[in-house]
């Protein structure tokens, strides 16, 4: 099928998002529990060298997102990288990418819901985590069922809260470190603790890259919004450039303050029971500061959940419009939203969130499974872009990725190495392979069965 017909079949979504909302949606998708909660696991692995870990993850994310932006500007569709894989690789790749991304996002939203429930125990220690998780998931499904402009407005303010909080956190943290108005904390905790800057060696630094990639997961949402924003050829490149820079600065500066102010041995954890950001504020002595930060991290989790519910529904919509899923999932409501796709995704998200009732490691397991899907999708995006460039001259592209194809090849090597590392880890990351590999086999089998029944598709 040619690229024009693939794009045309996904028409009908309302162009109700502004460029400002698109930027905030991107930040909302990528600044969530990966930073506020998952960073505790990363710090436990790497100690102060977590800064290098997140820099490596940020490099991969930037390569992926700029490669994606080239294709999104030429083909603004809801199916985004799924339609690009179908166009520039093959139909099997498009099928697997979209279903795998949907599956990974469902699991990721379940993980965010679990994290939000854990945060609520700060105020309500006796309330079950699973009850909060299911309640938050249900509320955000209702938000997504309305118009895309309503979703954009809610996400804008969710993201605004956490971006403002991160900026204030960085300012107040810098004041503590350099002693503005009180004795300086200094940089003792970065190098003077046992083990120095690399307390667990380079292996620990590399393991923390896993959490770094998971933290940046969601940045690709901007490409998915390209079908619902006016003038995507202008809005999408601007949004991607500004968001990539902001994300990199937010993550590196915020984590730098965490490991500088509080010894990494206190903020690092294998099973996360509290955000390291809340611990920093609890140590600050500022009245109610920890409670305020806990509210912020809850907002961050809800923001990321909200964005990922949007992503899940658009992937199912794209699959239905391509005849890869039941047709009713491709129908739009009067408000221009794929309501059936939202409801089905929501049911699966609620099931994922309910896992928190079964094990205290629910967050770790859910994020491990989600990350396997994320890495597979990112690798497919880079492979699609390598093929895309064979059909489009660089001079004809409104946005161009520098140092092509070396950056893409470097990104693919790093992502493949992370996948192998996860498979060899017996603590809990191997759960990603235990679930992820059978999933790929299952979904590939489903594709070939579908193809056999529709030989002319």
């Amino acid at each position: 099928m040619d690229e024009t017909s693939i794009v045309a079949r996904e028409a009908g979504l309302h162009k109700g998002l502004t460029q400002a909302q698109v930027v905030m949606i991107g930040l909302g998708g990528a600044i969530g529990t990966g930073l506020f909660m998952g960073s505790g696991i990363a710090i436990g692995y790497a100690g102060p060298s977590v800064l290098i870990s997140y820099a490596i993850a940020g490099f991969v994310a930037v390569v992926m997102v700029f490669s994606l932006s080239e294709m999104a500007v030429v083909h603004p569709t809801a199916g985004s990288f799924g339609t690009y894989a179908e166009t520039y690789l093959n139909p099997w790749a498009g099928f697997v990418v979209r279903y795998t991304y949907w599956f990974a996002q469902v699991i990721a939203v379940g993980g965010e819901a679990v994290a939000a429930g854990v945060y609520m125990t700060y105020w309500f220690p006796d309330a079950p985590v699973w009850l909060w998780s299911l309640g938050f998931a249900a509320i955000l499904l209702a938000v997504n069922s309305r118009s895309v402009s309503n979703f954009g407005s809610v996400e804008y303010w969710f993201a605004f809260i956490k971006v403002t909080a991160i900026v204030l956190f960085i300012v107040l943290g810098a004041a503590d470190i350099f002693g503005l108005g009180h004795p300086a904390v200094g940089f003792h905790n970065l190098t003077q603790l046992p083990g120095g800057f690399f307390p667990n060696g380079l292996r620990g630094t590399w393991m923390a890259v896993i959490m770094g990639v998971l933290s940046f997961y969601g940045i690709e949402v901007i490409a998915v919004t390209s079908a619902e924003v006016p003038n995507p050829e202008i809005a999408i490149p601007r949004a991607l450039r500004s968001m990539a820079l902001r994300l990199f600065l937010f993550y590196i500066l915020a984590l730098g303050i965490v490991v500088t102010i509080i010894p990494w041995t206190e903020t690092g954890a294998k099973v996360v029971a509290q955000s390291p950001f809340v611990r920093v504020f609890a140590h600050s002595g500022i009245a109610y500061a920890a409670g305020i930060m806990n509210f912020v991290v809850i907002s961050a989790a809800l923001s990321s959940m909200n964005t990922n519910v949007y992503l899940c529904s658009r992937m199912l919509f794209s699959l239905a419009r391509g005849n890869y899923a039941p047709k009713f999932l491709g129908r739009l409501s009067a408000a221009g939203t794929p309501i059936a796709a939202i409801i089905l995704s929501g049911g699966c998200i609620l099931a994922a969130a309910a896992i928190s009732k079964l094990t205290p490691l629910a967050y770790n397991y859910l994020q491990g499974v989600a990350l396997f899907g994320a890495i597979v999708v990112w690798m497919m995006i880079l492979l699609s872009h390598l093929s895309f460039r064979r059909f489009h001259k660089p001079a004809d592209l409104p946005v161009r990725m520098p140092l092509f194809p070396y950056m893409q090849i470097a990104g693919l090597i790093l992502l493949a190495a992370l996948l192998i590392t996860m498979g060899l880890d017996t603590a809990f990351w191997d759960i990603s392979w235990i679930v992820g590999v059978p999933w790929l086999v299952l979904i590939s089998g489903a594709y070939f069965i579908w193809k056999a029944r529709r030989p002319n598709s």
Side-chain angles (χ1 to χ4, degrees), residues 7 53 90 114 212 225 281 290 316 318 325 382 414 420 426 440:
V7 172
S53 306
N90 53 64
V114 170
T225 66
F281 271 93
L316 276 188
S318 174
L382 294 177
L414 286 170
I420 294 170
T426 56
L440 289 180

Side-chain angles (χ1 to χ4, degrees), residues 1 3 102 110 122 150 175 181 218 257 284 333 338 348 362 395 422 434:
M1 183 178 290
E3 59 193 58
W102 174 81
Y122 179 86
N150 178 76
I257 284 170
S284 70
S333 68
C348 296
M422 291 166 64
I434 293 170

